[in-house]
Each structure stands twice: as C-alpha cells, then as structure tokens.
Amino acid sequence: QVQLVESGGGLVQAGGSLRLSCAASGTIPSTYAMGWFRQAPGKQRELVAAITTGGTTNYADSVKGRFTISRDNAKNTVALQMSSLKPEDTAVYYCNAGRFVLERVPGPYWGQGTQVTVSS
C-alpha cells in the first residue's frame, strides 16, 4: 500500500517562496505520474503541476513560470518549488500519484494535504 506524506506548507507574504515535498512509502509504479493538486475554499480542486517518471511536466497556466515541479524516482519523492506567490495561491495542496495525473486526472493515492496561505 502506497502512502504519500507532504511537508513544507505554511504562511508566507505575497512575493515569497515555499517548497512543498512529498515522500511516498511503498513503490510507485513507473507508469504513474506524480503531481500536486490544490483546493481553495469554495473552489474546485485543480491540478497545479505534474511530472512523469521520465520528467515530462504539465503546469496550470496560473503557475507557469512561478512554480517548478521535480521528482526523484529513486527516492520516490516529488517536490514543488513555489516562487512569486500570490494570495490566489492560497489553498490546501495535495500530493497525488496515478497513471493520468499529467492529464489532470487524479490517481488513487493522496497525501493528507498541506495548507499554503499567502498574505497580501
């Protein structure tokens, strides 16, 4: 059974940076992409960024140029470096793994979520 554990959320001022990390216990299939979804109060969950085993990435338009996703396949970890943060980035961020995460379809494995709050 795969478990995903996130860390790195918190409170930051607009323009600041945060780094989220997600570690998987158990083996993530090589066919699985890993990514980060977020959900703000009253809004639908959306894909923020995803990455395949081979390094192909996909980003939400709203974060392109500001966020960078990376993955260490050997360590079963994925990270999200967030820069130039805006108040509208405030949300709970969830790590996810599955076959179609790159296509914005969540997989079966979820982390517990980590709160990111950006103050103006």
Side-chain angles (χ1 to χ4, degrees), residues 1-16:
Q1 183 70 14
V2 174
Q3 290 187 324
L4 304 178
V5 178
E6 301 122 337
S7 60
L11 173 65
V12 65
Q13 288 188 331

Side-chain angles (χ1 to χ4, degrees), residues 29-90:
S30 61
T31 56
Y32 275 28
M34 296 186 74
W36 294 89
F37 288 80
R38 67 185 180 187
Q39 188 163 21
K43 295 188 176 181
Q44 288 191 332
R45 181 180 57 199
E46 63 173 348
L47 178 73
V48 178
I51 186 168
T52 66
T53 304
T56 301
T57 58
N58 188 20
Y59 292 92
D61 288 342
S62 60
V63 307
K64 285 180 180 177
R66 300 189 297 123
F67 292 10
T68 302
I69 190 169
S70 59
R71 180 173 179 172
D72 187 327
N73 295 320
K75 296 182 178 179
N76 275 338
T77 59
V78 64
L80 185 68
Q81 180 66 46
M82 304 185 293
S83 302
S84 302
L85 283 160
K86 304 176 181 180
E88 50 264 44
D89 294 317
T90 296

